[in-house]
Amino acid sequence: MTYLKKLFPLLFLFHLVSCGEQVKTALQKPNIIYIMSDDHTTQGFGIYGSRLAGLNPTPNLDKLAKEGMIFDNAFVNNAICVPSRAAIITGQRAQTNGVLDLEGTIAPEKQYFPKEMKKLGYQTAIVGKWHLHHEPAAFDYYQVLPGQGKYYDPEFRVQGEKLWPKNVVQTKGHSSDMIMDATLDYLKNKRDKDQPFFLMHHFKAPHDDFEYAPRYENYLADTFIPEPESLYEIGNHGSVAVRGKNDSLTRIIGSSVSHRNVIRNQAMNIYWNDSTIYKQYRNAKDIGQEELVKWEMDAAEKEYTSKVYQDYLKKYLRCVKGVDDNIKRLLDYLETEGLLENTIIVYTGDQGFMLGEHDYIDKRWMYDESMRMPFFVRYPEKIKAGSRTDAIINNTDFAPTIIELAGGTTPEYMQGKSFKSILETGTEPEDWQKATYYRYWMHLAHRHQNPAHFGIRTKDYKLIFYYGKYWVNTDDPNVVWNKESWGNDFSNHTPPAWEFYDLNKDPKEMNNTYNKPENRAIIDDLKKQLFTMREDLNETDANYPHIQKVIDEYWDK
């Protein structure tokens, strides 16, 4: 009995130490901030070495990236806002989560990412752009924009006494500042400081129409923005699917910087039919004069395209500047509060964006400027500063990775794969995915006029198939239809075609060499991989027989 009396205090002390260690471990669990900007493409950074890198557009983001791991081959599954965000929040592909276009929705029961984080003991929050239409009710806290939201004086939907979406907070200022204000308010005043947090912070910027804060009016005002050569020279880029026979579709396919696309372009305010030089050309009487005036027209068009491009890029980069400056506000707060070292910080965009390459604006394309996402992660405890990888990841992989970094395991229902080991070791496993699959569904939608297509991208090659068909009403496969909300009145299908790019020889995708005999073995292998991926990912066209018919007809052509 005397022995037990002496032993009891030791056992009690051991119990206290054990409980203390458990509490300490819980408190030390890393906080996680997932930051995503809208349309912030890799060309708009210093770290990705684009033609714009010399402008130093993102000093704060570059510093953050260099303190962790930078991904050079992060790709979106569908370069359009809602499907990308759905893939991230579910860890699933389009036909599994049900979101194929901008009208897709994710109901609270399918908001898997925050649900899984709550299971791991995290308080969850989302601030900024949501765009998945249903209430983000799976989060413990939210303050989100309605739909796309406004650049100036945005209102936010919040929790409250009324049913979603009737609880509204009105703010006054630029959206990038207001969204960061909301995030800092959450971190300072709204969270439980004894519990780790998972926060999704989503900027609206730099989404088109690039309405920047007034303080950036003079930023880059006197700077010439480097222009892509492909803005003026198309080369052998594209195919009959995007250019038409004898370039007959170039006036309507792919929204442009120049006047090339007559349906949607950045130069819509100028109408050449009313210009003096156009009238001179129209009234030319002899071939010599006609050719001279045509040359003058071409020179004038190039000069005007350059002016439009300079305006376009300066507005874009001013929005990016607002994002970058607000990132510093966040980092300063985290450092002041002693949270920086124990917080995993992820930064990405919801897709890429065309900044004049091939004379394209917007996204949607499977070309790299549109398909590639910026992506980097900082976490000093586990991720080596200054590390970089060319491992292929896609946006369905984000949720599984963050779940595992938080101490969980990837749910079986998620199609994405965790790349936690790549972050922690800097090494790509031998069995890691060697390719990624892409699918754009919204055929000729929203006056951007991008044909529907799918394809495969490896580190070395890209293979794209444009099937050129609308959807159908699956209740009646013979009825072809197009969603009214897509704003498309173009009544013809576009020609099916393949495109193949050797990315080692042709990283800017200027030379479609699909028909070169020397590429046949590579292309055949890519088609086998593509077929298998579509089956494995539940991305076939079994429900769209009119599309499958085109695929079958053109697969071996």
Side-chain angles (χ1 to χ4, degrees):
M1 186 64 124
T2 302
Y3 172 76
L4 290 175
K5 286 181 179 180
K6 291 180 178 180
L7 183 62
F8 180 76
L10 292 174
L11 291 172
F12 182 69
L13 178 63
F14 177 78
H15 174 73
L16 288 176
V17 170
S18 177
C19 289
E21 286 300 316
Q22 290 177 17
V23 172
K24 183 179 177 183
T25 299
L27 292 175
Q28 286 183 341
K29 201 165 190 176
N31 301 306
I32 301 170
I33 301 179
Y34 173 94
I35 307 168
M36 186 162 69
S37 296
D38 197 317
D39 296 342
H40 195 183
T41 184
T42 54
Q43 305 97 282
F45 288 81
I47 54 168
Y48 285 105
S50 77
R51 67 183 181 279
L52 305 177
L55 301 174
N56 192 26
T58 50
N60 296 304
L61 285 167
D62 289 357
K63 182 177 182 293
L64 178 69
K66 291 173 183 176
E67 292 173 353
M69 177 175 283
I70 301 168
F71 285 74
D72 288 318
N73 282 327
F75 298 106
V76 70
N77 296 326
N78 182 357
I80 195 72
C81 296
V82 176
S84 174
R85 292 165 191 272
I88 292 163
I89 213 74
T90 63
Q92 296 174 337
R93 296 277 177 162
Q95 293 199 76
T96 300
N97 65 36
V99 178
L100 279 64
D101 66 357
L102 290 179
E103 294 179 11
T105 65
I106 296 293
E109 61 269 20
K110 295 180 70 175
Q111 294 166 15
Y112 300 130
F113 197 177
K115 284 179 175 289
E116 294 295 335
M117 296 303 291
K118 282 201 276 192
K119 291 178 186 177
L120 298 172
Y122 280 80
Q123 53 188 316
T124 61
I126 183 167
V127 173
K129 183 172 175 179
W130 167 238
H131 213 187
L132 291 173
H133 306 300
H134 281 287
E135 180 183 12
F139 290 87
D140 297 313
Y141 175 89
Y142 64 79
Q143 183 170 333
V144 296
L145 297 170
Q148 187 63 247
K150 298 187 299 181
Y151 263 118
Y152 286 105
D153 302 338
E155 65 179 32
F156 293 89
R157 293 173 177 171
V158 297
Q159 289 125 320
E161 295 180 358
K162 302 175 184 177
L163 293 176
W164 165 272
K166 295 182 178 179
N167 297 293
V168 175
V169 171
Q170 183 67 49
T171 65
K172 191 168 184 61
H174 188 270
S175 72
S176 296
D177 301 333
M178 297 300 98
I179 291 168
M180 185 55 73
D181 283 355
T183 277
L184 293 176
D185 179 54
Y186 168 76
L187 292 173
K188 293 174 184 178
N189 305 313
K190 305 290 175 59
R191 66 185 176 92
D192 179 352
K193 295 185 180 179
D194 292 326
Q195 188 181 4
F197 62 83
F198 167 62
L199 166 66
M200 301 188 85
H201 171 103
H202 294 178
F203 286 107
K204 170 183 171 62
H207 189 279
D208 202 7
D209 294 317
F210 316 137
E211 296 177 36
Y212 51 86
R215 64 182 179 272
Y216 299 117
E217 181 66 33
N218 295 322
Y219 175 63
L220 300 173
D222 299 321
T223 302
F224 180 81
I225 310 299
E227 300 174 352
E229 293 179 9
S230 58
L231 177 60
Y232 305 105
E233 301 294 335
I234 195 169
N236 191 41
H237 168 80
S239 62
V240 68
V242 301
R243 296 175 63 164
K245 187 176 181 180
N246 298 321
D247 284 350
S248 58
L249 292 179
T250 57
R251 302 295 283 172
I252 62 170
I253 295 293
S255 50
S256 60
V257 176
S258 73
H259 291 93
R260 174 187 57 78
N261 188 314
V262 297
I263 297 174
R264 186 165 186 162
N265 63 65
Q266 283 295 113
M268 292 294 282
N269 292 330
I270 298 295
Y271 299 94
W272 284 106
N273 284 354
D274 296 326
S275 69
T276 300
I277 198 165
Y278 186 89
K279 290 175 181 177
Q280 289 174 357
Y281 177 66
R282 185 182 59 195
N283 296 328
K285 299 296 183 182
D286 59 80
I287 296 297
Q289 183 183 3
E290 185 178 277
E291 289 301 312
L292 175 62
V293 175
K294 184 179 184 303
W295 180 86
E296 291 175 350
M297 278 186 64
D298 291 343
E301 172 68 14
K302 185 171 182 179
E303 180 182 359
Y304 187 74
T305 296
S306 180
K307 289 180 180 179
V308 172
Y309 179 82
Q310 294 297 314
D311 179 70
Y312 176 56
L313 264 290
K314 287 176 184 179
K315 287 179 178 177
Y316 179 86
L317 291 173
R318 287 165 187 163
C319 279
V320 168
K321 176 70 171 169
V323 168
D324 191 71
D325 286 350
N326 273 292
I327 290 296
K328 187 175 189 306
R329 292 178 63 201
L330 175 62
L331 296 176
D332 287 348
Y333 169 79
L334 294 174
E335 187 169 24
T336 299
E337 295 298 312
L339 295 170
L340 187 58
E341 297 310 295
N342 192 42
T343 299
I344 298 170
I345 302 176
V346 178
Y347 186 90
T348 187
D350 59 348
Q351 64 257 321
F353 203 76
M354 307 299 294
L355 296 180
E357 297 85 5
H358 314 295
D359 192 24
Y360 290 139
I361 59 174
D362 201 66
K363 50 256 186 179
R364 304 166 189 259
W365 297 107
M366 194 181 162
Y367 305 128
D368 264 13
E369 294 87 358
S370 169
M371 179 188 184
R372 189 193 300 276
M373 309 171 80
F375 191 88
F376 46 87
V377 187
R378 181 192 189 274
Y379 182 36
E381 184 176 323
K382 297 287 182 71
I383 301 171
K384 182 181 177 181
S387 55
R388 198 160 191 145
T389 179
D390 68 348
I392 289 177
I393 63 172
N394 66 72
N395 54 340
T396 61
D397 299 326
F398 297 173
T401 302
I402 292 173
I403 289 168
E404 294 199 1
L405 284 171
T409 57
T410 301
E412 290 186 4
Y413 62 78
M414 287 190 176
Q415 294 172 295
K417 308 297 181 185
S418 169
F419 49 87
K420 175 175 177 283
S421 68
I422 297 175
L423 287 168
E424 294 179 346
T425 68
T427 302
E428 180 182 343
E430 288 187 10
D431 62 351
W432 186 249
Q433 58 198 10
K434 302 299 188 292
T436 191
Y437 176 76
Y438 181 91
R439 176 79 180 259
Y440 175 72
W441 290 83
M442 299 172 64
H443 185 65
L444 302 180
H446 298 160
R447 298 173 64 238
H448 287 290
Q449 301 296 105
N450 295 46
H453 57 286
F454 62 77
I456 182 173
R457 201 233 195 246
T458 70
K459 291 181 182 179
D460 299 316
Y461 307 109
K462 181 180 292 184
L463 183 67
I464 309 172
F465 180 60
Y466 290 89
Y467 53 88
K469 289 282 186 181
Y470 299 145
W471 291 8
V472 295
N473 182 336
T474 51
D475 293 331
D476 183 359
N478 296 313
V479 178
V480 178
W481 62 279
N482 195 16
K483 290 190 176 180
E484 184 178 353
S485 63
W486 290 4
N488 171 29
D489 59 2
F490 185 63
S491 59
N492 295 321
H493 300 310
T494 52
W498 290 93
E499 294 180 18
F500 170 77
Y501 298 97
D502 184 329
L503 300 171
N504 292 313
K505 298 177 182 177
D506 180 28
K508 295 182 180 179
E509 299 171 292
M510 291 296 292
N511 189 23
N512 172 19
T513 56
Y514 179 79
N515 291 320
K516 295 287 185 181
E518 60 267 29
N519 294 327
R520 186 48 46 196
I522 297 170
I523 291 170
D524 287 346
D525 179 63
L526 289 171
K527 286 184 179 181
K528 289 178 182 177
Q529 292 184 56
L530 181 57
F531 181 88
T532 300
M533 291 181 84
R534 281 166 54 82
E535 292 283 340
D536 292 346
L537 296 172
N538 184 34
E539 284 293 313
T540 69
D541 282 277
N543 293 327
Y544 306 100
H546 73 302
I547 296 176
Q548 188 59 51
K549 181 180 178 182
V550 178
I551 295 170
D552 292 341
E553 182 180 352
Y554 282 85
W555 190 262
D556 295 322
K557 288 189 177 181

